Structures are given as C-alpha cells and as structure tokens.
C-alpha cells in the first residue's frame, strides 16, 4: 500500500476512494469533531490530528508525530480540500457583506503548502469547488483572481510540476454532475523518469476561457468515460420510508450493478446486509402534498409550482428518473431537502445522499442528521466562523469516492512508472 496524509479531511470521501486505489491514510487533520469522528470510524488506524491545522499540524507536530510514522521512507501523497466558504455558487445560500479576503479560512491553502514543503511527498492533490475559478478577493477585485493566486502558490512549490483541472464526477460513474477544481503537483524527477508532461496551462489566459481550458483536460489527471447510473439505479433498493434504527438490515436485494457495488463489502448474504442511516424526515402534510404534486405533474423545480404552493426556499428540485442525454444534472450540496425523491413525497435519507456521492454502504457517519441553516453556514458578518457539520453536510462537502479512486489510480500509475 502507498501512504497518504489527508488534510481538511472531512468524513473521508477522498480517503475512501484512495483506499480503493491502493493508498493507506496514515494521518489526517479535520477541525470539526463530528466529521473527524466519521473519518475515524472508517479509518481507525490513521493518526487523528483534530483542530485548527495551524496548531494540530504545526511544524513541531510534524516532526514529533508524522515523520516517525514514515520510518525514513518518502511519503507518497498529501491531499487536501481547504474550506471554501463563499466560493460555492450552489451551496452559498446567503449574502454576507464581509469580503472573501477577510474570511480567515479562505487562506488555509497556504497551510497545506507549508505541510507539503515540510514533508515533501511524491505527489500532492488540492481540490475545491468550481466557484473558485471565478471568485474575487473583494468587490473591487478581478474575476478569477483567487484561483490565480491559489494556482500560482501551488505551482511555485520548489521541485514540483503542477497541472490544474476542472473535472466532472459523472465521467467516473457518479450519479451527479459534481464539478471539482483540482491541482496536482508531482515531483519533477518522477515526471522526468516517466517522460510525462502536464497539459499546458497559462495563468494569464482570459478568465472567460479558464473553464473551457480546464474542463476534463486529462494529462496528469484520468480520462473518464464511465456510465453514470440513473437515480433509481443508485437508490432504488432503498425505496421505502418507514425504516428505523431497529431494522438493522437491507429490506430488498440489490437490483443494479451500482447497488451491488455499494453493498459489496457488507455480508454477501443479501438478507443479512446491514443498513444504516436510512431514516427519512417527518414532513408535514402540507409539505408532503407539495412534493406529491411535483411527482404527479413531473414538476422539476419548486419555482414551477402554482403560486399557492410556492415557498421561500432557495431551490428544491424533483430528482429525475432518467438523465437527459445520459448526463447527470444534479449536484448534492449540504441541504438535506435540496431534492425530492423521484417517487415518494419526501427528501432523501442520509444513506441515499451518501449513495449519490458513491459512499459505499459500509461507510459510517457520526453526528446529527442535519441542523439549522445559520448553524450550518456560520455568520461571517458577525465574526462567527463556527460551522456545524451534520451528516448531510459532511456528505455534501466530500469528494465522491468513485472520482477519488480514479484520480488515485492515475497518481499510483505515475508514481510506479506504469502510466
């Protein structure tokens, strides 16, 4: 197994996919306790370094706790998805007056660079939301300036060659659009040995072309062409709404290849495969009636409802049974009721949410199911940076394991010289 360290680790989406690709996470850092508890449930042997990365992974901690784990050998990979407060066009539901440059967490990518410089892994991988490509530090700034600063900082790390990408999860069997910005850095000597070169990227290209230039651009990243399952193919075996925690096992057998893969590491006796986190919200009669109306009339968005049925929600969509042209159009974020089930008048359970992110059914989650919007988003205007991270948010913030696995396989092949 190759060895990796996961920074800003969340509940373990990257680590789960990388594990499938042959990487062992030996240590991780995560500031939120619930997310860190989830990570530890699934990767109990990884050294847990809770808290602010500036203290919990200081240079002295690296020397005292991380370097001894390496036993004199090189570290293969450092991954990290620093917080992206205010960068996400889909997940950012509120307008705050504070500028992005004044949000402390928006500068934590510099801490990832510090750790990379200290540990000198063979490869590093930075990931973030698509909104990073067009974000400004302040209202008078230039569109895309944050991405340019982030990319220039990573590409300036001595001894590495970098390539950015805008990669879409649907190309790797994920039932979502799910675009992610990634920057990969590989030791120069490894690329020279493999006679590999990254896809060229000029940071001075006009911002309007950056998305076009980076979109699924291959090179040091994998090229994906896998089928993305439909929503029923992904969660059809969970099509019931009366489950409770006393019902320990899956009720129905898997009926699609995707479902079988999600359940492949559970007990192979389908009648005894353990099921967790399939509790659904107890909606009011009024809400259920609205959802049923959307299902019966194939109304894809609450904005298309009759006036008397509309709400103040930012967005709520009916999940489609089939993708138009075979390409997913949804992206799961942090809200539990962003989407309505395709056949039942309800929001999705945590387990269904996890399925759409390609978390296998044996991946466990810790903490409350969901929480209020302000507690989940914090309030930067009032200097409140604390954010609760319930299960739905942990899952919505994660990198889909299927995508992480494909990237991990590509990284492994480059390190081993088999690309």
């Amino acid at each position: 197994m190759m060895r990796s360290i996961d920074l800003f680790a969340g509940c373990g989406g990257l680590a789960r996919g990388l594990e499938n690709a042959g990487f062992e996470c030996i240590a991780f850092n995560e500031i939120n306790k619930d997310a860190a508890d989830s990570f530890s449930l699934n990767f109990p042997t990884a050294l847990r370094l809770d808290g602010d990365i500036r203290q919990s992974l200081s240079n002295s901690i690296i020397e005292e706790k991380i370097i001894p784990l390496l036993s004199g050998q090189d570290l293969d990979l450092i991954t990290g998805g620093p917080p992206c407060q205010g960068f996400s066009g889909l997940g950012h539901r509120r307008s705050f007056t504070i500028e992005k440059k004044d949000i402390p967490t928006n500068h934590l990518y510099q801490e990832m660079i510090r750790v990379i410089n200290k540990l000198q892994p063979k490869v590093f991988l930075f990931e973030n939301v698509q909104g990073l490509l067009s974000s400004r530090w302040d209202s008078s700034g230039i569109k895309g300036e944050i991405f340019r600063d982030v990319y220039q900082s990573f590409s300036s790390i001595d001894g590495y060659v970098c390539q950015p990408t805008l990669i879409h999860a649907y190309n790797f069997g994920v039932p979502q659009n799910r675009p992610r910005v990634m920057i990969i850095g590989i030791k120069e000597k490894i690329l020279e040995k493999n006679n590999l070169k990254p896809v060229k990227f000029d940071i001075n290209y006009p911002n309007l072309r950056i998305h076009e230039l980076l979109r699924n651009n291959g090179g040091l990243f994998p090229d994906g062409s896998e089928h993305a399952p439909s929503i029923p193919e992904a969660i059809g075996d969970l099509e019931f709404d009366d489950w409770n925690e006393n019902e320990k096992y899956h009720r129905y057998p898997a009926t699609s290849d995707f479902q079988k893969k999600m359940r492949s590491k559970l007990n192979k006796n389908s009648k005894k495969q353990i099921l967790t986190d399939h509790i659904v919200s107890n909606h009011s009669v009024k809400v259920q009636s609205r959802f049923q109306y959307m299902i019966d009339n194939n109304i894809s968005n609450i904005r298309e409802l009759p006036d008397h049925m509309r709400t103040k929600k930012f967005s709520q969509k009916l999940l489609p049974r089939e993708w138009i042209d075979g390409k997913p159009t949804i992206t799961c974020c942090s809200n539990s009721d962003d989407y309505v089930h395709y056949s039942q008048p309800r929001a999705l359970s945590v387990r269904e949410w996890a399925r759409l992110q390609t978390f296998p059914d044996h991946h466990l989650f810790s903490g409350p199911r969901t929480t209020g919007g302000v507690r989940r988003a914090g309030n930067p205007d009032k200097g409140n940076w604390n954010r609760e991270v319930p299960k739905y948010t942990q899952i919505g913030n994660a990198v889909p394991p299927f995508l992480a696995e494909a990237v991990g396989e590509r990284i492994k092949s480059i390190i081993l010289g088999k690309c």
Side-chain angles (χ1 to χ4, degrees):
M1 293 283 282
M2 293 190 169
R3 295 177 298 176
S4 65
I5 290 176
D6 201 336
L7 312 178
F8 317 102
C11 64
L14 256 174
R16 177 62 72 195
L18 290 172
E19 178 186 59
N20 293 339
F23 287 83
E24 177 190 5
C25 181
I26 62 171
F28 76 97
N29 160 253
E30 170 54 45
I31 194 169
N32 178 266
K33 182 181 182 301
D34 287 332
D37 286 346
S38 293
F39 197 104
S40 279
L41 276 175
N42 295 284
F43 307 99
T45 63
L47 175 64
R48 177 173 174 167
L49 299 166
D50 282 34
D52 189 319
I53 189 173
R54 290 166 288 197
Q55 287 80 49
S56 60
L57 208 60
S58 64
N59 288 344
S60 60
I61 294 294
I62 290 173
E63 292 172 0
E64 294 169 9
K65 295 188 176 182
I66 300 294
I67 292 178
L69 288 177
L70 299 175
S71 302
Q73 297 180 339
D74 291 337
L75 178 65
D76 294 296
L77 176 64
I78 287 179
T79 66
C84 52
Q85 195 163 16
F87 296 157
S88 174
L90 286 170
H92 195 52
R93 298 291 201 261
R94 297 170 178 79
S95 296
F96 298 112
T97 58
I98 190 169
E99 302 283 13
K100 292 182 177 64
K101 65 181 175 63
D102 297 321
I103 298 178
T105 55
N106 285 348
H107 301 274
L108 286 177
Y109 68 92
Q110 296 285 1
E111 292 301 311
M112 181 174 175
I113 291 172
R114 173 183 61 81
V115 175
I116 291 167
N117 277 317
K118 186 74 175 176
L119 287 171
Q120 291 290 301
K122 297 173 183 176
V123 180
F124 67 78
L125 178 69
F126 164 90
E127 66 84 18
N128 217 281
V129 295
Q130 179 179 233
L132 184 69
L133 297 179
S134 54
S135 292
R136 317 167 198 254
W137 284 117
D138 56 46
S139 56
S140 63
I142 299 171
K143 188 176 181 181
E145 64 184 357
I146 296 181
F147 171 70
R148 286 182 165 86
D149 287 352
V150 170
Y151 176 71
Q152 287 179 324
S153 296
F154 278 101
S155 61
S156 297
I157 302 176
D158 190 47
Y160 291 86
V161 175
C162 287
Q163 181 194 324
T165 194
L166 173 62
I167 197 165
H168 291 74
Y170 58 70
N171 285 328
F172 302 93
V174 179
Q176 293 185 61
N177 180 354
R178 199 71 185 181
R180 303 300 290 186
V181 171
M182 292 187 176
I183 300 171
I184 195 169
I186 300 177
K187 285 276 193 178
E188 290 176 349
K189 60 183 180 181
I190 294 176
L191 291 184
E192 290 171 0
K193 183 178 179 181
N194 289 293
N195 195 28
L196 274 178
K197 293 182 180 180
V199 172
K200 290 183 179 181
F201 173 70
D202 185 348
I203 195 63
N204 295 313
Y205 275 123
N207 182 263
L208 291 175
R209 293 192 60 204
I210 287 181
H211 287 71
E212 174 189 336
L213 290 167
L214 296 185
R215 185 171 283 111
N216 304 313
N217 57 358
L220 302 181
F221 289 94
D223 294 312
S225 58
E226 293 185 36
H227 162 74
S230 68
I231 299 295
E233 286 176 328
I235 63 173
D237 58 327
L238 300 174
E239 200 169 326
F240 50 96
D241 60 5
D242 57 345
W243 184 87
N244 63 70
E245 291 179 347
N246 293 323
E247 185 178 356
K248 297 181 180 180
Y249 304 111
H250 274 279
R251 188 179 297 181
Y252 304 130
T255 58
S256 70
D257 289 342
F258 182 91
Q259 294 167 20
K260 291 173 183 176
K261 188 168 185 178
M262 291 295 95
R263 292 159 64 159
S264 63
K265 292 190 178 180
L266 301 173
N267 188 321
K268 292 186 178 180
N269 179 351
S270 62
K271 294 182 180 179
K272 293 294 182 181
Q273 289 183 316
I274 293 174
L275 174 63
T276 58
D277 279 318
H278 190 43
I279 292 174
V280 303
S281 298
N282 185 22
H283 300 297
S284 68
V285 172
K286 182 178 180 180
V287 170
Q288 289 184 53
S289 297
R290 183 170 69 247
F291 289 171
Q292 190 64 55
Y293 187 91
M294 294 175 71
I295 294 168
D296 293 342
N297 295 277
N298 196 29
I299 292 177
S300 61
N301 196 307
I302 56 170
R303 297 169 188 169
E304 301 167 9
L305 285 167
D307 289 345
H308 72 279
M309 282 190 165
R310 293 182 186 178
T311 72
K312 294 182 179 180
K313 272 196 63 65
F314 178 84
S315 178
Q316 195 169 56
K317 297 180 180 180
L318 178 66
L319 287 169
R321 287 181 176 272
E322 299 291 340
W323 307 120
I324 298 175
D325 299 326
K327 183 182 293 186
T329 54
I330 69 166
T331 294
C332 294
C333 295
S334 60
N335 290 347
S336 61
D337 59 352
D338 273 350
Y339 294 101
V340 178
H341 193 279
Y342 59 89
S343 70
Q344 297 185 330
R346 62 175 178 83
L348 300 188
S349 69
V350 167
R351 181 54 56 194
E352 289 169 321
W353 205 242
R355 282 275 190 91
L356 297 188
Q357 276 281 62
T358 67
F359 279 98
D361 286 6
H362 67 277
H363 196 101
L364 304 176
F365 303 96
S366 180
R369 289 173 61 244
T370 188
T371 190
V374 173
R375 296 196 301 274
R376 187 174 60 247
N379 193 332
D381 285 347
K382 296 183 179 180
N384 177 12
W385 312 111
N386 295 322
R387 306 176 73 183
E388 294 182 10
V389 188
K391 293 178 180 180
Y392 285 104
T393 304
Q394 291 176 38
I395 294 165
N397 288 347
V399 175
F402 277 19
L403 173 58
E405 181 177 355
V407 174
E409 291 283 3
R410 178 63 173 157
I411 291 171
K412 181 175 68 173
S413 71
I414 292 174
I415 291 174
L416 296 176
K418 296 180 179 180
C419 48

